[in-house]
Amino acid sequence: MLRRQHDCCSQKKLQTVLLLLVLLALPAAHAVAGNCTCDPEEKEEPSTDVDKRQALKYKLGAIASILIASAIGVCLPVLGKALPALSPERGAFFLIKAFAAGVILATGFIHALPDAFEQLTSPSLNKKPWKFPFTGFVAMLSAIGTLMVDSAATSYYQKVANSPVGYEERVAEQAGRGHAHIDVHASQGHAHGPVTSYSELLRHRVISQVLDLGIVVHSVIIGISLGTSQSPKKIRPLVAALTFHQFFEGMGLGGCISQAKFRAGSFAIMAIFFALTTPVGIGIGIVITKRY
């Protein structure tokens, strides 16, 4: 009983620390995100700083900078196996991942969502069909879609784990990590010891895949936004902001992938997708500006 109360208190303390760090990260991320927008006065003035050749140089630099930052950020947590200080199970990395979560949340709720409300309610749009609150509708569909993907992935993994082949792989995986104690009644659903931790591992895998999917879609969009800009004055702060943003997103995603204990091939695929999506988006934006 005392041990259970102690674990409950420890969990509540961790939740409190996580919430505080997320709240602390919001102003910092808002300051970075603020570089991505321009003041109303700037919007009203005619664009006089368009320089396609100089803008292209900054875009190419942005591709290299964001690619390197993304790759370093997503790979750092995996180095925890070689460097104990970077292990996701340690308190220091827990704080870093909490800050990264704040950056991700702030991007959506402070930067993207208010701009979407402003743009989709612009007086220059026709009242029909734009009188309908599309911003909230799309946000609602996104939340429901994320839950559906989460539920489907969880159901799939549970089905695989409960199959005879999945159970054998699970036992072999646990035994390979040095957990030799496996209850003989596990095949009848009475698993004890390390096997019971598989549900937690399952949850980490679902979270990492859902997070990777959401980040990939978002990264392509912000890459296209930067790639279509022709103003060096606006691109310069965007490069710094997106490099910072992608580095900490990579830290958060890399921590989830590391805790999910994916095989090397699966980790490589997820890391490459994350690192390449924003540079690919910038490339798409460059092509758009060449054609239109």
Side-chain angles (χ1 to χ4, degrees):
M1 178 66 71
L2 292 175
R3 184 177 180 181
R4 185 179 299 174
Q5 291 178 350
H6 176 71
D7 293 341
C8 184
C9 291
S10 300
Q11 186 177 5
K12 288 182 178 179
K13 288 180 181 178
L14 286 175
Q15 291 175 348
T16 303
V17 172
L18 175 62
L19 178 60
L20 289 174
L21 286 168
V22 167
L23 293 176
L24 288 173
L26 294 180
H30 176 52
V32 175
N35 292 328
C36 303
T37 59
C38 54
D39 296 330
E41 290 79 6
E42 294 180 358
K43 290 181 180 178
E44 294 173 359
E45 295 176 357
S47 180
T48 57
D49 58 344
V50 173
D51 187 341
K52 294 184 178 181
R53 181 174 297 179
Q54 189 71 13
L56 181 60
K57 293 181 181 179
Y58 282 121
K59 292 174 189 177
L60 296 177
I63 291 175
S65 173
I66 293 173
L67 179 63
I68 293 172
S70 300
I72 293 175
V74 77
C75 290
L76 273 179
V78 182
L79 297 177
K81 296 179 180 179
L83 302 174
L86 296 176
S87 176
E89 283 77 19
R90 296 181 69 90
F93 192 85
F94 175 80
L95 300 180
I96 295 173
K97 196 167 71 169
F99 180 81
V103 172
I104 296 171
L105 287 174
T107 302
F109 288 99
I110 294 180
H111 182 176
L113 199 59
D115 282 353
F117 273 108
E118 180 183 355
Q119 296 296 330
L120 293 179
T121 56
S122 173
S124 60
L125 296 174
N126 294 328
K127 291 185 177 181
K128 293 182 179 181
W130 299 108
K131 189 176 181 181
F132 182 81
F134 278 102
T135 304
F137 179 67
V138 172
M140 180 191 71
L141 290 181
S142 301
I144 294 175
T146 302
L147 289 174
M148 290 174 63
V149 172
D150 183 285
S151 299
T154 303
S155 176
Y156 170 77
Y157 276 121
Q158 287 178 342
K159 186 176 180 180
V160 171
N162 291 331
S163 67
V165 176
Y167 171 75
E168 291 175 2
E169 291 180 354
R170 178 172 37 167
V171 173
E173 184 179 10
Q174 294 289 349
R177 292 182 190 144
H179 301 298
H181 173 66
I182 303 294
D183 196 288
V184 294
H185 299 292
S187 60
Q188 280 77 33
H190 302 287
H192 299 283
V195 178
T196 58
S197 64
Y198 189 77
S199 60
E200 183 179 354
L201 180 65
L202 173 85
R203 191 64 194 150
H204 282 306
R205 290 185 175 181
V206 172
I207 290 173
S208 62
Q209 290 181 332
V210 173
L211 180 62
D212 191 26
L213 178 63
I215 289 177
V216 163
V217 175
H218 163 70
S219 297
V220 171
I221 294 173
I222 62 176
I224 293 175
S225 177
L226 188 151
T228 54
S229 178
Q230 299 287 15
S231 169
K233 183 179 178 181
K234 295 178 181 178
I235 294 176
R236 281 195 298 266
L238 268 176
V239 175
L242 294 182
T243 301
F244 171 90
H245 174 48
Q246 291 297 105
F247 175 78
F248 279 100
E249 269 195 354
M251 290 282 285
L253 177 61
C256 291
I257 296 175
S258 179
Q259 289 178 318
K261 299 183 181 358
F262 282 110
R263 295 178 181 177
S266 299
F267 167 76
I269 292 173
M270 296 176 73
I272 290 172
F273 264 105
F274 168 75
L276 289 179
T277 44
T278 302
V280 167
I282 296 174
I284 294 173
I286 293 174
V287 172
I288 292 173
T289 57
K290 294 286 186 180
R291 294 180 61 89
Y292 300 99

